[in-house]
Amino acid sequence: MKARELTIVGAWEFTPVLHGDDRGVFLEAFKADVLAETIGHRFDLAQVNTSVSAAGVLRGIHFADVPPGQAKYVTCTVGSILDVIVDIRVGSPTFGRWDAVLLDDVDRKAVYLSEGIGHGFCSLEDGSTVTYLCSTGYNPGGEHGVNPLDPEIGIDWPRVARDGTPLEYELSAKDLAAPSLSEAREAGLLPEYGAVADFVDGLR
C-alpha cells in the first residue's frame, strides 16, 4: 500500500496493490501498521459508518469538536465519489484551502483525515457506497458543518457524473443550512490549529 500526503497537513491518500485475475480482484483495503507508520500513532477504530448516495448527492463539509475529534479512513467500495478535504483549523497555514481525491471501485484508493479537518464528497453515480472507519463514535452535540457550496472555500465540485451526464446537486436540509466558513469562525465553531496539533501529538 502506497501513502501520499495531501496538501492539507494531516490528510493522506492510500493506494492499495490490486491482485486481479479472471475471478476478480483482491486487495488489502486497510493496513493498521502502514497507517500508524504514516500518521505517527495507532488508529483506534471505534465505529464504522456506511452511506449510499445517488449521483449528485453532496455530503459535508462535516467536522467534530477537538477533543475528542474524529479521524476518518474513507473508502468507496461501490461506484465513485470526489472526496474533499477542507482545512477548517483556525491558525493553520492552509486554513480555508481544500484538496480532493477520486475514490472509486477501480483504483480503490482511501483517504485518511486526522482530527479537526473538514470532510465532504460528491457522488458521481447512483449507488455510490462509502465506508468510513472512525476513531470515535457519533457525538451529535460535538459535530458541526460548513456549507459545501460556500464561495469563500470555492470547492470545484464535479459538474458531470461518471457516465458523462450533467450532475444536479442534492444536499440535506442540514447541510444547506450550514454556516459559511466565516460564519462558523465568528461563532467559535471551528477548531484551533494549535489545540488540534497538541491533541494529535498526545496520541503519539
Side-chain angles (χ1 to χ4, degrees):
M1 181 174 285
K2 180 180 179 182
R4 178 178 72 90
E5 189 169 13
L6 301 179
T7 59
I8 306 301
V9 174
W12 287 266
E13 168 196 276
F14 290 88
T15 303
V17 176
L18 305 182
H19 304 277
D21 56 28
D22 292 340
R23 299 170 299 160
V25 175
F26 173 84
L27 66 143
E28 296 173 330
F30 172 82
K31 297 196 69 170
D33 57 341
V34 173
L35 181 59
E37 181 179 353
T38 301
I39 67 177
H41 62 85
R42 192 180 74 173
F43 177 75
D44 291 324
L45 176 62
Q47 184 170 317
V48 178
N49 300 330
T50 299
S51 67
V52 181
S53 302
V57 167
L58 289 183
R59 297 185 187 269
I61 301 296
H62 300 150
F63 64 97
D65 289 338
V66 181
Q70 188 181 69
K72 298 176 182 176
Y73 186 90
V74 184
T75 59
C76 181
T77 54
V78 177
S80 58
I81 65 169
L82 184 72
D83 196 87
V84 176
I85 300 96
V86 182
D87 193 346
I88 49 137
R89 299 165 296 185
V90 177
S92 167
T94 55
F95 176 74
R97 298 184 192 174
W98 60 275
D99 203 346
V101 176
L102 177 67
L103 303 182
D104 62 19
D105 53 14
V106 177
D107 294 329
R108 300 192 179 276
K109 295 180 179 181
V111 165
Y112 173 84
L113 56 149
S114 63
E115 293 83 354
I117 297 177
H119 175 256
F121 68 82
C122 177
S123 173
L124 301 179
E125 63 182 291
D126 290 342
S128 292
T129 303
V130 178
T131 299
Y132 321 68
L133 279 59
C134 303
S135 64
T136 58
Y138 178 57
N139 176 24
E143 300 192 9
H144 312 282
V146 171
N147 194 302
L149 301 178
D150 180 8
E152 179 182 356
I153 302 174
I155 298 170
D156 186 17
W157 293 109
R159 294 171 175 80
V160 295
R162 195 180 200 180
D163 62 5
T165 59
L167 285 175
E168 293 186 12
Y169 302 139
E170 182 177 350
L171 289 77
S172 70
K174 184 177 180 180
D175 287 345
L176 277 174
S180 67
L181 185 66
S182 293
E183 291 169 340
R185 182 176 186 176
E186 292 169 4
L189 296 176
L190 303 181
E192 295 285 338
Y193 182 68
V196 171
D198 289 344
F199 178 80
V200 174
D201 284 344
L203 300 175
R204 293 186 167 91

